[in-house]
Amino acid sequence: SSCPNGTCTYYDTSSEHATWGTISHTLATDINGSIINAIRNRYGDSTWRDRGALDSNGGFAETRIPNRAAVLIEHLNWALDLT
């Protein structure tokens, strides 16, 4: 069976954090790309899924509340053996 995996990096462009939305998006894109590159090339896992930089749209306090650029990295690696 296949195991879900991947990395995404959230940023926020909601009205509460709009001032920092553009820079947060750039930061999320750069960080996510670096993580994916490291996993695929340095650690040799070419199947690692790039889930991208995603707008949380106010969904996470970690990216909505700070009065500065902010991102939240979600790194998923489930190894589940159901046999």
Side-chain angles (χ1 to χ4, degrees), residues 10-82:
Y10 291 99
Y11 62 96
D12 189 14
T13 60
S14 67
S15 59
E16 187 175 343
H17 201 254
T19 303
W20 297 99
T22 301
I23 188 92
S24 292
H25 177 256
T26 300
L27 183 62
T29 301
D30 291 350
I31 288 172
N32 197 77
S34 294
I35 291 171
I36 297 301
N37 184 54
I39 292 170
R40 288 181 178 169
N41 297 311
R42 186 170 182 184
Y43 297 102
D45 187 349
S46 62
T47 64
W48 194 260
R49 185 171 170 219
D50 180 356
R51 296 172 49 222
L54 305 172
D55 187 352
S56 65
N57 196 25
F60 300 113
E62 294 89 345
T63 57
R64 183 186 72 248
I65 294 172
N67 189 21
R68 65 187 56 87
V71 299
L72 176 64
I73 300 166
E74 182 175 82
H75 187 73
L76 177 65
N77 183 11
W78 290 28
L80 182 62
D81 184 0
L82 298 175

